[in-house]
């Protein structure tokens, strides 16, 4: 039942987007910009405004995201050193290991699986993760 109610709707949307893109009916560059600059911030703002998320959760999630980021950054650096990877390849590895695509697929999954309350907590995580990616991610990319 979880597959039918939670995962299947997401897979239908992914398949629909893939099919429309293959047929040339969607301009992906424009859609990506629209999503990045307008739709995602609007979704996050509305979710935070409409749900009563306690302020302490921002601190809790913020601390978790920082610890998660540092631990996985150190792991990716160690893997880069053990694999004798170049600095640029290690930086790419670090970015892909540390920063998840939790907004595009994670938020709908949370909404379908846990309802509005789970979705609101996911939005807090995505907000804190995005703040860290916009600051530390730049440092990691240039390291």
């Amino acid at each position: 039942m979880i597959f039918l109610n939670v995962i299947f709707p997401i897979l239908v949307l992914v398949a629909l987007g893939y099919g429309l893109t293959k047929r040339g009916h969607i301009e992906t560059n424009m859609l990506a910009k629209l999503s990045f600059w307008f739709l995602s911030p609007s979704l996050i703002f509305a979710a935070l405004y409409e749900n009563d998320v306690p302020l302490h959760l921002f601190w809790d999630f913020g601390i978790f995201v920082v610890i998660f980021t540092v631990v996985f950054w150190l792991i990716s650096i160690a893997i880069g050193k053990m694999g004798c990877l170049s600095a640029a390849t290690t930086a790419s590895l670090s970015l892909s290991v540390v920063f998840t695509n939790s907004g595009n697929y994670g938020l709908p999954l949370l909404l379908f699986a846990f309802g509005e309350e789970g979705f609101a907590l996911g939005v807090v995580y995505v907000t804190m993760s995005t703040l860290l990616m916009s600051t530390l991610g730049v440092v990691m990319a240039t390291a």
Side-chain angles (χ1 to χ4, degrees):
M1 204 56 152
I2 290 175
F3 177 80
L4 188 61
N5 291 332
V6 176
I7 298 172
F8 183 71
I10 295 171
L11 292 177
V12 167
L13 292 175
V14 169
L16 182 64
Y18 178 79
L20 289 173
T21 301
K22 281 296 184 187
R23 290 183 170 211
H25 295 298
I26 293 180
E27 177 60 43
T28 56
N29 189 28
M30 184 272 308
L31 188 59
K33 287 180 182 177
L34 179 68
S35 176
F36 183 79
W37 292 108
F38 180 71
L39 298 176
S40 294
S42 298
L43 174 73
I44 289 172
F45 178 80
L48 292 175
Y49 181 76
E50 292 172 359
N51 293 295
D52 190 25
V53 179
L55 186 60
H56 73 86
L57 282 180
F58 281 94
W59 288 109
D60 294 345
F61 275 81
I63 291 168
F64 169 77
V65 169
V66 167
I67 292 170
F68 174 88
T69 300
V70 169
V71 167
F72 278 89
W73 189 13
L74 293 174
I75 290 171
S76 66
I77 290 171
I79 291 171
K81 289 189 184 300
M82 288 188 301
C84 298
L85 302 176
S86 69
T89 304
T90 301
S92 297
L93 174 68
S94 295
L95 290 170
S96 63
V97 167
V98 170
F99 298 112
T100 61
N101 187 5
S102 54
N104 292 336
Y105 295 109
L107 290 178
L109 183 65
L110 286 172
L111 181 60
F112 288 135
F114 302 110
E116 288 292 328
E117 187 173 316
F119 178 75
L121 294 177
V123 166
V124 172
Y125 171 79
V126 167
T127 302
M128 301 312 290
S129 180
T130 302
L131 286 172
L132 198 56
M133 182 174 32
S134 299
T135 54
L136 184 61
V138 175
V139 173
M140 291 171 68
T142 59

